[in-house]
Structures are given as C-alpha cells and as structure tokens.
Amino acid sequence: MIDLAIIGGGPGGYVAAERAGAKGLSVILFEKRELGGVCLNEGCIPTKTLLYSAKIFDYAKHGDKYGINVADATFDFGKIIARKDKVVKKLVAGVGSKMKAHKITVVRGEALIRGRSSEGIEISCNGEPYQARNLLICTGSETFIPPIPGVREAGDTIVTNREILSLREQPKSLVIIGGGVIGMEFASFYNGLGTEVTVVEMLPEILGGLDGEISRMLREIYTKKGIRFNLSCKVTEIKGTEVVHVNPEGVRSSAKGEKILMSVGRRAVTQGFGLENLGVETDRNAIRVDSKMRTNIPNVFAAGDVTGFSMLAHTASREGEVVVNNLTGRPDIMRYNAIPGIVYTNPEVAGVGLTEEQAKKEGIAYKIAKLPMAYAGRFVAENEGGSGICKVLAGEKYGEILGVHLLGNPCSEIIYGACMAIEQEMTLKEMEEVVFPHPTVSEIFKETVFAL
C-alpha cells in the first residue's frame, strides 16, 4: 500500500513528492507530460529565459549609457529559442533526479481515479491498478479560450502560452488579448526584440489585481517603448489576423497581428481523471479545500492551480508542503497573506500583501509611504535613466506592515524580505532595527519604512 499518490508533477506535485519522500513516506507520482508541469515547461522558466535574452539585447543596444559601445547589436531568434529549450530540458532532468534521490516512483501516463474502498483510494494508469492511503490532486490549470467568433477559423494564427514558446520564427507583429501577467511578459519579450505589439485589455488598466499606480507606471514605460494599449476594450470578433474590439462608448476598432496571443486567464483542470468517482466538491470548476488543503473526502487533498485560488507556482509548492506536513505529524495551515506576485518585465514589478485598492475596499485604516527607487544608490549605479518606485503600507494603529509594492530592477530578487516581514507581522519599528547590506537595491525597503 502506497502512503501517498500524487496526480500531477508540477510545482505542487513534485515538491510535495520530494518533501514526502524525504520524510520517509512511500510516494507514487503520476504525470502525463513532463515533470515540472506548466511552470517548468510552458510558463515560469521558459518565459524568464526568453525575457533574460531580451534584457541582454537591450543592455547591448544601450551600452553607451554605461560607457560600453556595442556596434550593431543583433540577435539570433533561433538561438534564443534553442537556449530556452536547453534550460527547460536541464531543469526537467533536475526534477527527475530529485525524484530518484528521494525514491519517488514516477509513472508517465494519464492517471484515472477509480474510487475508494476499504483498502484505500483506487487509481489506474496505463492499464495498471494502484492503491494509496492518501491522494494529492495537483492537476493544475489550462489556458482559457473564450468563445469569441472567429477563433476556430483563425487556425494557427491564434496561439496560447504553449504554442508561442515553440515559434521558430519571430512574428513581425503580435496582438495580445489580455494585459495580465502572462500577456505583459510576452509583450515585453517581443517588444524588446522589435516586434510590433498591441495589447487589448478589457479592464481599464493592465495587471488587474496588482497595485494600480505601479500598473499605470509600467504601462506608460512600455507605451514609450512602442507598445500600443487598447484598454477597456472587449474583443467581439477575430477575422483572420485581425482582432476586432469595442470600447465602452461602442466604438469599434481593430488591431492586426501576424500572430494573436490568447492570454485572458486560466482555469482549473478538474475533468478527465475521474474526480467525479470520489465525490469531491468543486466550486466554480475548482476543487474546494480547507486551510490544510483537505477536500470534503477523507485522505484526499488538492494543491496548486486546481484549487483556483492562487494560481502561482510558489503558492502550489507551499500548499504541497502543508499537505505533507500534516500527513507526517506536523500541524500546518496554508496562509495567503504574504504570497508575492511578480511580473518579469523590464523593469520588473513585485508586490506582496495588501494594495491600496484592497485596503480601501476592506475598510482597513492604513498609512503609506512612497519613494523613488533612485533613493537606493545601487539602483542608480545599475539602472542609468531607469525609473521605479517603492510603496509600503502599514496599519495606522500598530504600524504592522501590510503591503509592499515595487517597480524597478531587480525587485523580484528582493521582495522576499517584505514577504518575511508580513509573514512575521513585523512593525515599522522592528524593520527600522534590521541592518540592510549597503549598497543594495533592497535598502529602498528600509528607506521607505523610515519615511513612514
């Protein structure tokens, strides 16, 4: 009898498998594609690899700002894609090595839940039966394709995050439907290489859910870089390479692109693997769980995008850890108050905790301080002509840190400090007593805290 069966080898599944194996549980992991899931194969890692190439190209083009002259900087699109493939292959192999190191049985194929019996949970894969005391469902999410007239007729002109990563030729023009995180990261990459990019977004601003002021600032930066933004626009039809949309006043416009990236969101994968055979409750097509990631069925858990709550790789990994901790005698619950959100554009965006918009909506009394990133000497030294901002929200009564939001490189690498501060319920006074290394861009956090 297997202690833990896991369906899905993404950041939730493989991290849970590794942690469980390290704690002595017998584990079987089912994955129908490649280990690493969407994040490693079609999302986080490949996009960041591409974005770094675009960033290097940008440095080369503007090296004169730093006294470095690079004559006629060029790029090889095929080599950029080949390097992305190499990085993904290396990291997928690394996950496989971790599974072997912790004696995880990995089964390649589509797992099917048959039901439960007095013996445990019944699963089959590739015609073979398996039994497990506990089941962790990590089936992830998939790109949502809205029923826009003309989508099917457009054929391979329409691409999702999966297909666009496999393009072997750079499109001369690209229309992105959706100005969220995925849409903006691909907009950044292709704009950086010279593709004509248009973003069509139904909301009044890009990056909905993130700090509104920072989202606006990023959009203004990319407008200057040549990206066209059509905000508050609803796509009504796709005619071949043309995206037809209408604004709130009813005015119809269109944007043409050699390729059209569909990036309007993702939905939990809850079909096709026998979930109905257990009677697991779902809500809006996502599995309902409690703070210990338990479903309504005993010994059945879920983690990651399939819960539909926080569709981020690092959230999935932590949720998987919560499951394993509770299975191995360490009481643990999942908390979502300090989950960082990052956009790997150039410049980067990072935030954690409450935004101003959320604090106002929830009626939370707060105080706020903002400082330009230029207050950090290291930022000025490494970002010639670059702009950015750091915003810190704190509770008005006790001064507890509620949220931190940044625009500017390399905020993705320093936001963890703010995550720890919020997780530990640190106050402004306590943060003032922390010694930050100098010179670093992270000092902007402490400087902004002092401004409060």
Side-chain angles (χ1 to χ4, degrees):
M1 176 71 71
I2 299 165
D3 292 323
L4 176 63
I6 302 173
I7 300 178
Y14 80 74
V15 170
E18 179 184 0
R19 301 294 190 266
K23 292 185 177 185
L25 297 185
S26 59
V27 183
I28 186 167
L29 175 64
F30 300 97
E31 173 53 55
K32 64 181 180 180
R33 292 196 179 95
E34 293 290 340
L35 289 174
V38 169
C39 175
L40 182 45
N41 294 280
E42 304 166 10
C44 315
I45 297 302
T47 54
K48 279 54 185 179
T49 306
L50 296 179
L51 284 162
Y52 191 71
S53 290
K55 185 180 290 187
I56 294 296
F57 180 54
D58 185 71
Y59 286 155
K61 287 191 300 180
H62 302 103
D64 59 308
K65 293 181 180 180
Y66 305 88
I68 307 298
N69 296 314
V70 180
D72 301 322
T74 60
F75 63 88
D76 186 320
F77 188 79
K79 287 185 177 181
I80 290 175
I81 299 300
R83 178 176 181 270
K84 177 264 298 181
D85 292 340
K86 182 182 71 172
V87 169
V88 169
K89 184 177 180 180
K90 180 178 181 179
L91 294 178
V92 168
V95 174
S97 295
K98 285 185 177 181
M99 297 302 98
K100 289 180 181 179
H102 293 284
K103 299 179 181 179
I104 310 301
T105 300
V106 177
V107 178
R108 303 300 180 95
E110 294 196 41
L112 179 64
I113 301 170
R114 294 294 183 182
R116 63 184 303 131
S117 66
S118 57
E119 307 260 322
I121 299 162
E122 311 285 340
I123 304 168
S124 67
C125 186
N126 301 328
E128 294 292 325
Y130 299 90
Q131 289 183 339
R133 293 186 179 88
N134 301 282
L135 171 64
L136 172 57
I137 302 168
C138 299
T139 48
S141 63
E142 60 188 359
T143 301
F144 172 64
I145 306 294
I148 300 170
V151 167
R152 291 186 178 180
E153 291 77 6
D156 60 7
T157 297
I158 302 286
V159 293
T160 67
N161 64 292
R162 178 183 295 177
E163 292 84 25
I164 199 169
L165 286 170
S166 300
L167 295 181
R168 297 299 159 180
E169 293 184 6
Q170 178 189 358
K172 294 179 181 179
S173 56
L174 175 67
V175 178
I176 300 175
I177 302 176
V181 175
I182 296 173
M184 282 307 302
E185 288 185 351
F186 279 111
S188 176
F189 171 66
Y190 278 103
N191 169 259
L193 298 186
T195 293
E196 183 180 287
V197 178
T198 302
V199 176
V200 182
E201 170 57 53
M202 190 165 64
L203 297 176
E205 189 54 89
I206 62 171
L207 302 176
L210 298 186
D211 180 88
E213 181 180 11
I214 286 179
S215 296
R216 174 183 56 77
M217 292 174 66
L218 183 72
R219 175 175 53 81
E220 291 173 350
I221 289 171
Y222 272 98
T223 297
K224 291 178 181 178
K225 291 185 177 185
I227 294 180
R228 291 192 291 270
F229 292 94
N230 298 322
L231 304 178
S232 299
C233 289
K234 181 180 179 180
V235 175
T236 58
E237 185 181 7
I238 294 176
K239 295 181 178 179
T241 60
E242 186 178 8
V243 177
V244 181
H245 50 85
V246 60
N247 67 14
E249 288 74 43
V251 178
R252 289 169 61 87
S253 303
S254 66
K256 289 187 176 181
E258 195 175 300
K259 291 291 182 181
I260 299 170
L261 172 62
M262 192 66 69
S263 182
V264 296
R266 300 182 66 82
R267 61 183 176 189
V269 175
T270 56
Q271 304 294 320
F273 58 95
L275 185 65
E276 65 279 1
N277 294 329
L278 286 178
V280 172
E281 288 183 0
T282 60
D283 182 21
R284 297 181 182 180
N285 196 51
I287 294 178
R288 180 179 292 176
V289 294
D290 64 9
S291 61
K292 294 184 177 181
M293 311 313 297
R294 298 177 298 192
T295 69
N296 62 304
I297 304 300
N299 304 104
V300 178
F301 305 81
D305 289 7
V306 74
T307 67
F309 188 72
S310 175
M311 291 188 173
L312 297 168
H314 41 278
T315 302
S317 295
R318 173 62 186 139
E319 289 172 339
E321 290 176 338
V322 168
V323 172
V324 174
N325 287 341
N326 282 290
L327 286 177
T328 54
R330 173 186 164 187
D332 197 3
I333 62 170
M334 185 65 201
R335 296 177 297 277
Y336 296 95
N337 62 311
I339 302 292
I342 301 170
V343 191
Y344 295 85
T345 45
N346 186 19
E348 296 173 346
V349 172
V352 63
L354 291 178
T355 63
E356 278 194 89
E357 292 83 1
Q358 290 171 325
K360 290 176 181 176
K361 184 177 180 180
E362 296 176 23
I364 297 173
Y366 69 93
K367 49 188 175 181
I368 186 169
K370 311 176 190 178
L371 282 182
M373 291 290 275
Y375 269 66
R378 177 82 175 269
F379 180 84
V380 176
E382 296 183 354
N383 294 272
E384 180 66 31
S387 60
I389 189 173
C390 176
K391 301 174 68 172
V392 176
L393 281 76
E396 190 171 299
K397 185 175 181 179
Y398 300 107
E400 74 278 18
I401 296 170
L402 300 174
V404 178
H405 305 278
L406 302 140
L407 169 67
N409 297 331
C411 63
S412 65
E413 292 292 345
I414 62 178
I415 193 65
Y416 76 92
C419 297
M420 294 177 68
I422 293 174
E423 180 68 34
Q424 297 300 316
E425 300 180 342
M426 294 182 71
T427 64
L428 297 173
K429 183 177 182 300
E430 289 171 330
M431 279 305 305
E432 289 176 3
E433 296 173 358
V434 176
V435 178
F436 280 63
H438 176 79
T440 61
V441 180
S442 65
E443 289 176 287
I444 191 64
F445 183 21
K446 185 168 183 175
E447 291 298 321
T448 310
V449 164
F450 268 114
L452 279 166

